[in-house]
Amino acid sequence: MNRLSTEVLEQVFRKFKDDFHASKHELSAALVNRKWCRIIVPIMWEDPFGSTDFPDKLVKILLSLLDEESRSLLTNKEIDLSKSPPFQTTTFDYACFIRSLQLDKMYDGIRNYLITNNQFDEGEELIGKYKKTGFIFHEISSLILRRSSLIEYIRSVYPYSIDYAVIVDDINLIPYMTNANKCLKYLRVVITFGGGYSKFYSGLFTICKNLITIITSVTTLESANSLATIIRAQNSLKNLSVLFSEKYLVGSVLESLSSQKDSLINLTMNTCDFDTISDDALKSLITCKKLERLVLERCIGLEKERFNSLSRSFPLLKEIIFFYKHDYNYFPDDFIIGLIQTANVNLRNLDFDFYSCRVVNAILNYIPEFDQCRLYDYEFKSYNDLKEYENNQVFYETSDDSNDSNEEEESSEAEN
């Protein structure tokens, strides 16, 4: 292994990066010799909070990297940094290696660090504890953005706790921090859930043109419009997943999709009332003919004849997931069948939480081969499995009809 070039060794270590973390062997490998250490440590620190079970230990290291001004600011906020003394010398500038900001996990690490080091005074009000966490969060985020040359991934998933809301303002400030316009320029993936991120997306709009994946939630018209703006700004967006808190918020986001009609291949929409969208929004969605995966969850209104043209717009679909969870009297049979007829042999995976005989017939008529088909609680691995299921259903109905007929005959004979 020592005879291999640095480039080859780096490829090898990247290949087994996930295995290293799962088996806790990355540190052992880094201690083999200096050459391996110089290769492995930067890889380990590309996504530090996503590849550790001890985020509070990373917080301790990053606090030791803060400059004197930042340390003084935290000290003035009654935060004791004695457990994280500044490094006199360090072999690596760890922060400069960071490529991924998992902000929710970083937040958890900060909170655990403060708890472990008894930084919360007994009887201290909750808001005081949350503010301490927020102060450290801001300074570490600022440190990473100043030192890193390239951030490719940002994730902020709202945990089920009120205290996280305190740092939403700090997350919204990230695009406006020093050096953010440089290190976020080639951001590729953004995942945000919970809170209000309108200012965050508005800031990214002026910086990021190369996002390929956006996964987010929309809670207000302002956040919907901010999301639509950044979608339009991208050169080649491939994956978009949006959870709407209200069904009527979908319009402006759909109207922006025509700007990505040549690149968008994966679209997930959750909680939408399509009956409320404008003609422009519908026309925009129809242009996305390169879609390969379509996920519609808790979406209503598609049973209207107005959307028949939409169902015939996606010939390249490989996967359809449709979770209705609504009044099944309004199940959009025609829309689902239109999708199946249009994509036909390209479809490989189907997942419906509700279905009708017409949908089953369409699958059998237009998709002779599929990898997986789930209809409610029934999973089918092949066309023959589904065909057998259909036959059994017909047989069951026929048996009932036959029994009813026999009962009628017996009743008639008894009367005679």
Side-chain angles (χ1 to χ4, degrees), residues 31-293:
L31 297 176
V32 169
N33 57 46
R34 290 182 180 180
K35 182 178 181 179
W36 282 30
C37 183
R38 287 195 298 269
I39 298 171
I40 292 174
V41 168
I43 294 175
M44 290 169 56
W45 274 85
E46 286 179 353
D47 182 18
F49 290 98
S51 58
T52 182
D53 297 325
F54 306 99
D56 52 315
K57 297 186 183 301
L58 295 177
V59 169
K60 180 179 179 179
I61 294 173
L62 291 170
L63 286 174
S64 295
L65 292 172
L66 293 177
D67 58 27
E68 190 57 38
E69 181 180 353
S70 294
R71 292 179 65 85
S72 296
L73 188 151
L74 293 178
T75 301
N76 292 337
K77 299 296 183 180
E78 300 182 352
I79 296 173
D80 182 6
L81 298 177
S82 60
K83 301 292 185 180
S84 302
F87 288 132
Q88 299 302 317
T89 59
T90 178
T91 305
F92 298 101
D93 183 3
Y94 301 104
C96 78
F97 302 134
I98 296 177
R99 300 288 179 267
S100 171
L101 279 178
Q102 301 215 29
L103 300 175
D104 47 341
K105 294 184 178 181
M106 185 170 82
Y107 169 78
D108 289 339
I110 294 170
R111 183 173 53 183
N112 292 342
Y113 171 85
L114 290 171
I115 293 172
T116 301
N117 292 285
N118 301 314
Q119 295 279 335
F120 294 144
D121 297 331
E122 186 175 351
E124 184 177 4
E125 294 184 1
L126 285 177
I127 190 64
K129 297 178 181 180
Y130 302 156
K131 283 184 176 180
K132 283 184 178 180
T133 308
F135 292 142
I136 295 179
F137 180 90
H138 179 85
E139 293 306 315
I140 289 181
S141 298
S142 180
L143 167 73
I144 293 171
L145 291 175
R146 290 197 310 270
R147 299 283 185 88
S148 175
S149 60
L150 177 65
I151 298 294
E152 296 180 304
Y153 178 103
I154 290 181
R155 164 189 151 131
S156 175
V157 178
Y158 205 118
Y160 295 100
S161 57
I162 297 175
D163 54 329
Y164 186 74
V166 175
I167 63 167
V168 169
D169 289 341
D170 285 316
I171 293 173
N172 278 321
L173 289 176
I174 283 177
Y176 307 93
M177 290 181 174
T178 302
N179 201 49
N181 61 329
K182 294 180 179 179
C183 74
L184 298 181
K185 185 176 182 179
Y186 296 101
L187 188 65
R188 307 285 280 171
V189 177
V190 174
I191 302 174
T192 58
F193 278 103
Y197 294 105
S198 299
K199 188 174 180 180
F200 175 77
Y201 280 110
S202 296
L204 290 184
F205 161 71
T206 63
I207 300 171
C208 307
K209 309 296 180 182
N210 298 290
L211 287 172
I212 60 172
T213 298
I214 300 176
I215 301 174
T216 190
S217 60
V218 167
T219 57
T220 63
L221 283 173
E222 182 184 9
S223 60
N225 293 332
S226 296
L227 177 59
T229 299
I230 196 170
I231 288 173
R232 290 190 177 95
Q234 302 315 302
N235 293 324
S236 185
L237 185 68
K238 296 183 181 299
N239 309 293
L240 176 65
S241 177
V242 188
L243 168 62
F244 298 92
S245 65
E246 300 292 341
K247 297 180 179 67
Y248 64 86
L249 294 173
V250 65
S252 60
V253 175
L254 288 182
E255 289 179 13
S256 70
L257 296 186
S258 59
S259 65
Q260 304 301 322
K261 63 183 181 181
D262 294 327
S263 60
L264 192 65
I265 60 174
N266 185 351
L267 177 63
T268 297
M269 310 294 280
N270 192 320
T271 312
C272 311
D273 185 352
F274 278 86
D275 204 29
T276 66
I277 69 173
S278 66
D279 289 339
D280 288 339
L282 178 57
K283 290 176 183 177
S284 178
L285 182 54
I286 286 174
T287 66
C288 300
K289 297 186 180 300
K290 294 192 175 181
L291 279 183
E292 296 180 7
R293 184 174 186 266

Side-chain angles (χ1 to χ4, degrees), residues 404-416:
D404 291 341
S405 178
N406 290 338
E407 289 175 1
E408 289 175 3
E409 291 177 2
E410 291 173 0
S411 176
S412 177
E413 290 175 358
E415 290 176 359
N416 292 334

